[in-house]
Each structure stands twice: as C-alpha cells, then as structure tokens.
C-alpha cells in the first residue's frame, strides 16, 4: 500500500441535477511503529513519507534523542496495514522496554504510551531565544503553504505541517490525514536533514492543541503559527516553553497568544518629499 490517494466513483449534485464522475480521496491505513519487533503504537495515517514519520514519532515521544539512535528501519506492508520496524541502540531499547512494562493500556492518537494523567501534561523543554519576525513574514510564510499542499489540493481532506525561514522560504512540508502525524513527519524530515528550527516558523493547517505544542517544543521551534485557534492548555504550555504561539492567520492579520515580543510591525517605507 503506497498510494496516498485513490480515485473513487461519486455522484455530485449541483443545484437540482446530478453528475456522475470520479474524485480522488485520501488513503488512510493502520501504521504500526515497532521497536525490536514489539509494537509500541498503531496510528491511522496517510501511507506516505513513512520513514520521516518513524523518526519524527520516535523523537516527539522521547524514544530517541537523534536519528542516530535508530540503527535500522524497514517499512513493511503486511496484511492489515504497514509496519515501521525499527531497531534501536542498546540503551534506547532498554529504556523503552522498561517504559513499556509500565503501560496501563493501549495507545491513542496524539498521546501514545502514557501511564498516568501527569504524563499527558508533561513539562516541555524551554526553546531558544529565537529571531524577531515582522508581521509580513508571518503572512508570507502562511501563504507559501497553500501551493505546496499538493495532496490536499487533490483530496481536500488532509492536514499539513511545514517549516519556513526568512532566508530559505519554505524548507519542508508534510501532509497527512492526522495533524499529529503531519507534524511528526515534518519533525522526522528536519531531523534527518539536520535542519535547526530555532530561526524559523513551524506552520500548521490545523487547530493548535497541547500535543502539537509539546511536539513543537521537542522539535525546538520558537514560533508556531496556525490557521486555526489554540486551546487554553496549548497556550499555557507554549507560554511555559517560551514559544510564540500565533493563531487564526488570515490574509488580513493574525492573533498572537504568547511571547508577542518576537513579532514587530512591518517597517513603513520612508516617504521622500520632492
């Protein structure tokens, strides 16, 4: 299973008339993340950029500290879905095995392998100081996402996470039916390319929940901007992490919820009097 979208027959109603035709829809598959042949989590995901997903999920869940901790990775299609089979360096595998012995139950989307309520709101790392950005850079960054969201243009059904810098523009973008998965895929892609994220903007096409802020903080992101709004817990978590959290980004502006000192007004061009 490698297609990220497939054509399906559909009947479209336009006004009072129906039209038979074909639409492409996003594919969705169970993806198991296994370490040492033991399944840690099963996520429903778009079956694309799966190596990035394996690394990004492992980083955001604290299973590895860097891609070098994964000594082998194999993407295997099985009868019921896809397995991302990873082998870890000895100390990492031992730590994960100890952690799995204390799991209370099955994993869920966004919060995998938790054994207590406290683990759901675990402390996040403090991010670096980061750059000062103008209002125009926020708007330009978000505009750059749309033409790069090719799967969403095809299906109108997937989320995107991207990284943008003032000097390089759009560095990377990943798409998935799950917003958590899209951000994990982005994290994996950036880590594999050894790209630092402290001088750019992490862009999201979704709402900003606490899990998204936790993943961004683990990534080291200093600025996170999204088309939708954050939750209250996401705001508190971003504030504690030192992240500038920006939501409701529209062509006519946006709203900053935490650490607004990183954002400054676009400079007005000087007027020359003849």
């Amino acid at each position: 299973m490698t297609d990220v979208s497939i054509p399906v027959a559909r009947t479209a109603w336009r006004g009072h008339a129906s039209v038979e035709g074909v639409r492409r829809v996003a594919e969705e598959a169970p993806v198991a993340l296994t370490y040492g042949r033991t399944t840690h989590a099963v996520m429903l995901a778009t079956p694309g950029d799966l190596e990035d997903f394996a690394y990004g999920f492992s980083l955001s869940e604290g299973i590895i500290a860097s891609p070098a901790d994964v000594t082998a990775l194999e993407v295997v299609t099985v009868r019921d879905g896809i397995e991302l089979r990873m082998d870890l360096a000895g100390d990492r595998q031992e730590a994960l095995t100890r952690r799995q012995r204390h799991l209370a139950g099955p994993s869920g989307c966004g919060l995998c392998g938790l054994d207590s309520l406290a683990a759901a709101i675990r402390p996040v790392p403090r991010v670096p100081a980061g750059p000062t950005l103008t209002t125009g850079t926020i708007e330009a960054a978000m505009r750059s996402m749309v033409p790069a969201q090719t799967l969403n243009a095809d299906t109108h059904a997937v989320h995107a996470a991207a990284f943008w810098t003032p000097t390089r523009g759009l560095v990377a973008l990943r798409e998935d039916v799950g917003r958590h998965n899209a951000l994990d895929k982005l994290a994996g892609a950036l880590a594999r390319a050894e790209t630092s994220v402290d001088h750019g903007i992490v862009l999201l096409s979704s709402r900003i929940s606490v899990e998204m802020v936790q993943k961004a903080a683990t990534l080291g992101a200093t600025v996170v901007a999204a088309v939708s709004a954050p939750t209250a817990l996401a705001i508190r978590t971003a504030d504690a992490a030192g992240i500038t959290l920006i939501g409701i980004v529209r062509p006519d502006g946006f709203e900053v919820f935490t650490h607004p000192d990183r954002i400054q007004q676009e400079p007005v061009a000087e007027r020359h009097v003849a």
Side-chain angles (χ1 to χ4, degrees):
M1 184 185 297
T2 57
D3 293 334
V4 294
S5 66
I6 63 171
V8 298
R10 60 96 176 103
T11 301
W13 284 87
R14 301 287 185 262
H16 299 288
S18 64
V19 179
E20 302 300 320
V22 174
R23 166 180 285 279
R24 294 196 70 86
V25 298
E27 189 56 88
E28 188 174 21
V31 177
L33 295 111
T34 73
Y35 303 89
R37 300 301 179 269
T38 298
T39 299
H40 178 75
V42 178
M43 312 293 283
L44 290 171
T46 301
D49 298 310
L50 290 178
E51 291 189 353
D52 289 337
F53 185 39
Y55 283 101
F57 176 92
S58 302
L59 286 163
S60 66
E61 291 297 316
I63 296 169
I64 63 174
S66 75
D69 290 330
V70 177
T71 59
L73 168 59
E74 186 179 10
V75 179
V76 181
T77 300
V78 295
R79 185 184 65 179
D80 296 324
I82 301 169
E83 290 186 2
L84 305 182
R85 296 177 180 173
M86 285 168 276
D87 291 331
L88 303 179
D91 57 338
R92 287 290 170 178
Q93 185 62 58
E94 291 170 7
L96 179 60
T97 300
R98 289 193 300 271
R99 171 175 164 183
Q100 288 171 331
R101 290 193 186 119
H102 291 86
L103 296 186
S107 302
C109 179
L111 295 174
C112 296
L114 302 185
D115 60 358
S116 70
L117 292 174
I121 50 173
R122 63 186 184 272
V124 290
R126 185 84 179 177
V127 302
T132 298
L133 302 170
T134 66
T135 54
T137 60
I138 304 299
E139 295 159 2
M142 193 60 73
R143 283 196 304 269
S144 73
M145 282 188 75
V146 177
Q149 293 175 248
T150 55
L151 182 57
N152 193 56
D154 204 22
T155 64
H156 303 284
V158 296
H159 289 293
F163 180 63
W164 185 96
T165 74
T167 55
R168 297 177 60 186
L170 194 67
V171 176
L173 180 143
R174 294 293 183 269
E175 296 179 278
D176 197 278
V177 291
R179 54 198 171 89
H180 306 96
N181 301 339
L183 185 51
D184 279 338
K185 288 179 178 181
L186 176 68
L190 295 174
R192 296 173 71 192
E194 299 182 348
T195 300
S196 174
V197 300
D198 57 350
H199 278 73
I201 308 168
V202 168
L203 305 168
L204 305 173
S205 69
S206 64
R207 66 183 175 88
I208 314 170
S209 59
V210 66
E211 308 99 306
M212 303 296 275
V213 173
Q214 289 169 336
K215 290 177 185 291
T218 301
L219 189 59
T222 58
V223 180
V224 175
V227 299
S228 192
T231 66
L233 183 54
I235 292 172
R236 292 194 293 271
T237 305
D239 187 48
I243 293 173
T244 297
L245 196 62
I246 302 170
I248 319 173
V249 182
R250 300 289 186 270
D252 62 345
F254 52 83
E255 298 180 22
V256 184
F257 294 89
T258 59
H259 299 279
D261 49 295
R262 288 197 184 97
I263 309 301
Q264 63 182 19
Q265 176 65 44
E266 194 73 21
V268 179
E270 294 183 7
R271 295 181 180 179
H272 298 280
V273 181

